[in-house]
Amino acid sequence: MFSRVAVSLFSLLLVVACSDRGPSYPKVTPPDGYLQRAENQEEGRRIFRQLCAECHGRPSEGRSQRADFFYPPAPNFTSPLYRQADPAYLFWRIRKGKTVEPYLSRGSVMPAYGAHFSEEETWSIVAYLRVRSEVSSD
């Protein structure tokens, strides 16, 4: 009886320890309506093209061939999943980059842009990433 209980408890602990709960991040919110404004999305697009496309863009946007060797790979944000992504997560990920877990131990090469972008610029990038998959010709 004791061994069944011990095995059950061990199994439960293993499941909890191995579950992918995702990273913990601050629940910040953009200013009201910020993500929906076309001018903010366009500013995010401009920043993306200038500073992010080398790793996250399509080949036609200037994606570097070295980005093909990143592991884990850098997403190009055209998946519809990014339309539903928590804006707070995208904001946090842009600002912290590879300096936080689980990305640090997984070998991410994403720089932390918190010192390089203002909060408004970061929210503009988030605004653009959320509509990027809807844009037919970037």
Side-chain angles (χ1 to χ4, degrees):
M1 178 69 165
F2 176 75
S3 65
R4 272 194 246 169
V5 172
V7 168
S8 296
L9 284 174
F10 178 75
S11 298
L12 178 62
L13 286 173
L14 190 60
V15 167
V16 170
C18 294
S19 68
D20 190 11
R21 291 173 275 176
S24 176
Y25 54 89
K27 299 295 183 190
V28 295
T29 56
D32 282 347
Y34 196 92
L35 301 179
Q36 294 76 29
R37 289 190 200 107
E39 62 268 18
N40 298 334
Q41 295 167 359
E42 184 55 34
E43 175 67 5
R45 179 180 183 269
R46 184 192 65 73
I47 296 168
F48 181 90
R49 290 277 180 118
Q50 183 180 15
L51 299 170
C52 309
E54 183 176 344
C55 297
H56 293 284
R58 297 180 189 106
S60 64
E61 297 172 311
R63 182 181 177 98
S64 169
Q65 288 183 337
R66 73 184 176 99
D68 295 337
F69 298 100
F70 292 162
Y71 186 82
N76 68 13
F77 299 104
T78 56
S79 167
L81 294 174
Y82 292 103
R83 275 182 263 166
Q84 287 83 35
D86 182 356
Y89 166 77
L90 295 173
F91 182 90
W92 171 79
R93 185 73 170 100
I94 291 165
R95 295 187 70 79
K96 295 297 183 180
K98 66 182 174 188
T99 65
V100 292
E101 291 298 344
Y103 309 103
L104 182 62
S105 61
R106 290 183 183 166
S108 172
V109 297
M110 170 76 180
Y113 283 103
H116 303 284
F117 295 147
S118 68
E119 286 192 15
E120 289 84 12
E121 288 171 320
T122 307
W123 283 124
S124 292
I125 296 166
V126 170
Y128 175 63
L129 294 181
R130 290 175 49 93
V131 299
R132 182 167 165 78
S133 63
E134 297 171 1
V135 179
S136 59
S137 64
D138 249 5

